[in-house]
Amino acid sequence: MPRAPRSKKPAAAAEASAPYTTNPTHPANPGPSSPPKTVVASPQPPVEKPIAISSLLNHPDTEPTEAGSSSQSAAAFKPATKGRPKNDHLPWLTQELPALPGPDGEMYIPIYDDCNEIRRKIRAFFSNNNTEYRCTQKYFLEVIGNVNSNSYRRFMAAKGEGGGAENGTYTGSYVFFEKKRVWEGKPKGKKRLDAEVQYPEGRDLVDSNRPVWVTTRMF
């Protein structure tokens, strides 16, 4: 009895039943196991921080700083202030001056400079040319006898040789500048020598601008 012919399996079924083949390049053959590959990321360029614009505006000659950096702040570029005080030590304030006895027995310092001369000396002392000593007007008024600033302004605005003679600025300023002259060793001028002859006991402290009231008797 003849044998029935063996039926052939479809190609897809044959491949499914034989997952491994002898072909090493076949996709169904994974081949020998290999270690997993390490993926190396490509290096990224560094992120630059923004530049502080204020550092460029304030100091264009310096290197720019990064925003938020405290190494170079505005205080670092602040100019150093001089350590010299507003008022220098005035060494002539302790200078002694000759005094004369008054009618009441008290000693006083005679004044020979008129009011105009004292005003000239005050303006010269506070002018820009006086760079030897630093002295504010407030300190000046303190050392000449705590003179009120209003009295000082009235004296400086007065006119005439005797204008402001009763003001404390006049007497205190004369002593101030006379001590300075003696301490510096400067000689007396001709005007000063003439005043000593004309007023041997000093000038009268009477304001020439003060009004004088004259009373008359009517018969």
Side-chain angles (χ1 to χ4, degrees):
M1 183 175 185
R3 293 183 179 180
R6 183 177 296 179
S7 61
K8 296 182 179 182
K9 295 182 180 181
E15 293 180 359
S17 61
Y20 298 100
T21 65
T22 59
N23 186 2
T25 61
H26 195 278
N29 187 6
S33 60
S34 58
K37 295 182 179 180
T38 303
V39 180
V40 179
S42 59
Q44 298 294 331
V47 179
E48 297 183 358
K49 295 183 179 181
I51 301 299
I53 302 301
S54 58
S55 63
L56 298 178
L57 295 178
N58 297 333
H59 308 280
D61 296 335
T62 59
E63 293 294 332
T65 59
E66 295 181 353
S69 175
S70 59
S71 60
Q72 295 183 359
S73 58
F77 298 100
K78 186 177 181 180
T81 57
K82 296 183 179 180
R84 187 176 178 182
K86 292 183 179 180
N87 299 298
D88 290 337
H89 172 67
L90 306 179
W92 62 83
L93 295 180
T94 57
Q95 177 69 44
E96 297 291 336
L97 294 179
L100 299 177
D104 52 0
E106 294 184 1
M107 304 298 291
Y108 74 98
I109 297 176
I111 297 178
Y112 299 106
D113 291 341
D114 58 45
C115 295
N116 284 338
E117 181 66 15
I118 294 300
R119 280 187 282 267
R120 185 193 66 80
K121 291 182 177 181
I122 292 176
R123 294 188 180 99
F125 184 74
F126 286 107
S127 66
N128 295 331
N129 296 329
N130 180 27
T131 58
E132 184 177 2
Y133 298 100
R134 298 182 64 183
C135 178
T136 61
Q137 179 180 311
K138 180 180 179 181
Y139 182 61
F140 175 75
L141 296 180
E142 290 177 0
V143 298
I144 67 173
N146 291 320
V147 176
N148 185 275
S149 59
N150 293 329
S151 298
Y152 170 77
R153 285 191 290 269
R154 285 195 296 268
F155 173 77
M156 297 302 294
K159 305 294 182 181
E161 294 183 355
E166 300 178 17
N167 194 302
T169 307
Y170 174 54
T171 55
S173 298
Y174 174 83
V175 173
F176 179 88
F177 292 112
E178 181 65 9
K179 286 184 175 182
K180 185 174 183 293
R181 183 193 66 80
V182 175
W183 183 82
E184 292 176 346
K186 293 183 178 181
K188 300 176 183 178
K190 182 180 182 303
K191 185 177 181 180
R192 165 64 183 273
L193 296 175
D194 294 343
E196 291 182 1
V197 175
Q198 185 177 357
Y199 308 99
E201 297 181 355
R203 292 178 177 270
D204 294 333
L205 302 181
V206 178
D207 194 337
S208 59
N209 294 337
R210 187 179 62 178
V212 179
W213 299 94
V214 179
T215 57
T216 59
R217 183 175 180 179
M218 301 297 293
F219 294 94

